[in-house]
Amino acid sequence: MRARRIPVDHVVPVKDFLAIQMAGNQGVTVAQNLPPKWTPDFPPAVVVGGDGGGVDEWPVYTGDQVRVTVYAAGRTEARRIAGLCMGWLLAIRVPGIGVRPGTGLLDDRDPSTGGFIAGFTVRTRARTQPF
């Protein structure tokens, strides 16, 4: 009988890694969701999410496009924090997953919060787990 395998969550290791790297940075939060009722008066927030990926190497590996979005009061601050996150992800090994470059930094104004956002994606790869 073939071993049964399941994909792992690629977002959680990235979120946990960035939370450790960001510790001590003026109240910046790192989570999978924007804090409720976030406004530009709050400290910056880093939000990590998944945009899906491939299963080309099933049953050994799965891939995912992981999105990192920073919300801040100003464009410069949003880009600075997003740049830090990108640098850490591409320079330091993230436990449990492989990380490769995805998109460059993009920025905009978020009409729903009034804050600025800056973000990027990285491509990830992780071994499946037996179940």
Side-chain angles (χ1 to χ4, degrees):
M1 177 196 241
R2 255 179 109 152
R4 295 185 291 182
R5 315 255 331 151
I6 58 171
V8 299
D9 188 343
H10 295 226
V11 171
V12 171
V14 171
K15 175 192 61 81
D16 293 346
F17 172 81
L18 289 177
I20 290 167
Q21 301 305 312
M22 194 59 68
N25 278 289
Q26 305 146 351
V28 176
T29 61
V30 180
Q32 289 178 248
N33 298 296
L34 189 61
K37 300 181 183 177
W38 185 92
T39 72
D41 296 328
F42 285 57
V46 178
V47 179
V48 182
D51 289 340
V55 291
D56 296 339
E57 298 179 64
W58 186 265
V60 180
Y61 290 99
T62 60
D64 200 357
Q65 185 100 336
V66 175
R67 174 182 14 88
V68 176
T69 307
V70 176
Y71 292 76
R75 177 184 177 272
T76 300
E77 184 71 352
R79 285 186 64 88
R80 182 187 74 78
I81 295 169
L84 283 172
C85 292
M86 179 187 280
W88 289 325
L89 287 170
L90 297 177
I92 303 171
R93 186 180 181 291
V94 177
I97 62 170
V99 178
R100 296 175 290 178
T103 63
L105 287 177
L106 299 170
D107 61 73
D108 202 354
R109 187 98 187 226
D110 181 21
S112 63
T113 65
F116 285 85
I117 55 174
F120 63 94
T121 64
V122 290
R123 295 175 299 145
T124 60
R125 184 174 127 161
R127 285 191 172 275
T128 60
Q129 295 179 345
F131 71 97

